[in-house]
Amino acid sequence: MKTPDEKLQESIEQGRFDSSDLDSHAYQIVFEAIKKEPNTHLSPQFSDKILSRIIKAEEKRAFQKDLMWLGIGVLVLIVTAIITIVLTGFKLNAGAFKFVGNYGGLLVFAVLLIGFYQWVERKILPRHSAV
Amino acid sequence: MVEDEALISKVLEGDTESFRQLIKQHERLVAHMVSRIVRNSEDREELCQDVFLKVYDKLKEFNFKSKLSTWIATIAYRHAINHIRKKQISFNEQSEWEDFKEQFIANENLEEELADKDLEEHVMVYINQLPVHYRSVLTMYHVDGMSYQEIGKITGMPEGTVKNYLFRARNLLKEKIKKYLGKEELR
């Protein structure tokens, strides 16, 4: 059983209204207004922003995938090395490099010198090679 | 439906221009859903973007059992509702309806602010004061032209509830306008 108000809403929806009746007139105003779009301002670059977020997300996903494979690779390498050492009874032997132990200062100097050359190369050479 | 299928298969093949086309076709619908639920305009555009990112991620799960627009609107509705839940914004659920109805009709604060606006603008402002489910059902039915069934699918409400929400919302707006018209006549 429909209430008089429900019947009134139905008839207004079908375009039948009586402007002399206050309820009918008020409903007419309401039905006209509720058809209007709400204020929905989206920026003109809306789709560009979404696509750039998708690209970034995909790059991040690809990087994480690479990182996962790298991690698996390192893990497999370590496990393989351990198994190999256990099975073959391998013992680490510094061999010819044993003499370095007697020249600790020289080793530190060599590392610093190589580091200095690298720094010079990065800081000075690009300036001279730039056209 | 066939056009949707072709568009979706292109997007799934990695064609970003097809996804741009999909965004263009549905951005108004998503913006309507979000803007009726979320009042803070600063959050709205980002929420709309989030909706399309979800659409992109879940597109391979779309099974064509409903229209693409209904499926996208469902994602938008749920995303916006979750947003206001997270922000703990009051819902004004059905149990509070009678209290709300009384307050809503009695509240005259808005009338002073709206003094120089036309009647349609009054209604638009009143809609924004309605509880979230009422204003979203109103928009889906009257602005987006959705059926009761589609609205039910999107909101998870039974069709009877959708009809009831629509009736109550329009009735409340009518009462408010009637009160305003009565006052205008007295002036």
Side-chain angles (χ1 to χ4, degrees), chain A residues 3-10 13 22-55 57-58 61, chain B residues 16-17 19-20 23-24 27-28 31-32 35-36 44-46 48-50 52-53 56-57 119-120 123-124 127 138-139 141-143 148 166-168 170-171 173-175 177-178 181-182 185:
Chain A
T3 63
D5 223 56
E6 280 174 307
K7 284 180 191 165
L8 189 56
Q9 284 197 13
E10 272 179 14
E13 213 174 351
L22 190 57
D23 279 308
S24 182
H25 181 52
Y27 264 135
Q28 190 199 344
I29 293 165
V30 169
F31 272 81
E32 280 303 312
I34 55 182
K35 282 183 211 154
K36 297 218 161 168
E37 278 194 48
N39 181 20
T40 54
H41 176 74
L42 293 176
S43 66
Q45 302 84 24
F46 180 69
S47 58
D48 290 333
K49 285 179 187 170
I50 295 167
L51 292 176
S52 91
R53 280 180 70 181
I54 287 172
I55 291 166
E58 280 181 348
R61 235 174 275 163
Chain B
T16 50
E17 281 313 304
F19 191 61
R20 190 191 297 277
I23 295 170
K24 295 271 178 215
E27 64 184 10
R28 276 176 62 207
H32 289 166
S35 65
R36 271 290 182 249
R44 285 184 199 154
E45 176 150 344
E46 204 177 330
C48 291
Q49 287 180 24
D50 294 343
F52 281 108
L53 289 180
Y56 187 81
D57 283 339
L119 272 173
E120 282 192 356
V123 181
M124 298 301 266
I127 292 172
L138 265 184
T139 307
Y141 187 81
H142 287 285
V143 181
Y148 298 127
L166 259 179
F167 168 74
R168 283 173 163 196
R170 295 188 296 215
N171 175 266
L173 294 170
K174 183 261 295 182
E175 290 299 330
I177 288 293
K178 215 171 113 180
L181 290 175
E185 271 179 20

Side-chain angles (χ1 to χ4, degrees), chain B:
Chain B
M1 204 65 136
V2 179
E3 281 174 21
D4 284 348
E5 268 189 65
L7 190 65
I8 291 168
S9 65
K10 275 185 186 173
V11 175
L12 292 176
E13 282 164 18
D15 181 359
T16 50
E17 281 313 304
S18 295
F19 191 61
R20 190 191 297 277
Q21 196 184 328
L22 185 146
I23 295 170
K24 295 271 178 215
Q25 282 174 5
H26 299 93
E27 64 184 10
R28 276 176 62 207
L29 171 70
V30 170
H32 289 166
M33 304 291 297
V34 172
S35 65
R36 271 290 182 249
I37 297 170
V38 180
R39 287 200 180 112
N40 184 359
S41 57
E42 286 168 14
D43 293 345
R44 285 184 199 154
E45 176 150 344
E46 204 177 330
L47 282 169
C48 291
Q49 287 180 24
D50 294 343
V51 169
F52 281 108
L53 289 180
K54 275 195 177 175
V55 167
Y56 187 81
D57 283 339
K58 292 185 171 191
L59 202 57
K60 53 184 170 297
E61 294 167 23
F62 179 62
N63 53 18
F64 298 96
K65 281 184 182 165
S66 62
K67 285 198 277 182
L68 180 62
S69 58
T70 310
W71 184 72
I72 292 175
T74 309
I75 293 175
Y77 179 81
R78 289 183 187 163
H79 192 66
I81 291 286
N82 284 341
H83 172 80
I84 57 170
R85 275 201 180 124
K86 269 185 211 160
K87 294 219 163 183
Q88 295 175 327
I89 298 165
S90 167
F91 251 67
N92 289 317
E93 294 286 7
Q94 200 165 355
S95 58
E96 300 163 15
W97 175 254
E98 289 305 322
D99 291 341
F100 171 79
K101 192 177 171 182
E102 267 179 38
Q103 281 173 19
F104 181 80
I105 295 172
N107 182 10
E108 295 190 351
N109 296 342
L110 280 173
E111 255 92 299
E112 287 161 25
E113 286 173 37
L114 292 166
D116 57 337
K117 303 265 165 65
D118 65 28
L119 272 173
E120 282 192 356
E121 281 179 84
H122 279 241
V123 181
M124 298 301 266
V125 173
Y126 296 151
I127 292 172
N128 278 331
Q129 305 303 313
L130 290 174
V132 63
H133 294 309
Y134 291 82
R135 53 181 197 261
S136 46
V137 164
L138 265 184
T139 307
M140 283 185 248
Y141 187 81
H142 287 285
V143 181
D144 298 311
M146 290 181 187
S147 64
Y148 298 127
Q149 199 189 5
E150 278 177 297
I151 299 171
K153 209 167 192 176
I154 291 165
T155 58
M157 295 177 203
E159 269 184 59
T161 310
V162 173
K163 283 181 189 169
N164 190 25
Y165 274 31
L166 259 179
F167 168 74
R168 283 173 163 196
R170 295 188 296 215
N171 175 266
L172 201 56
L173 294 170
K174 183 261 295 182
E175 290 299 330
K176 198 77 179 160
I177 288 293
K178 215 171 113 180
K179 192 180 165 197
Y180 177 80
L181 290 175
K183 267 190 192 169
E184 284 295 288
E185 271 179 20
L186 290 174
R187 279 183 195 171

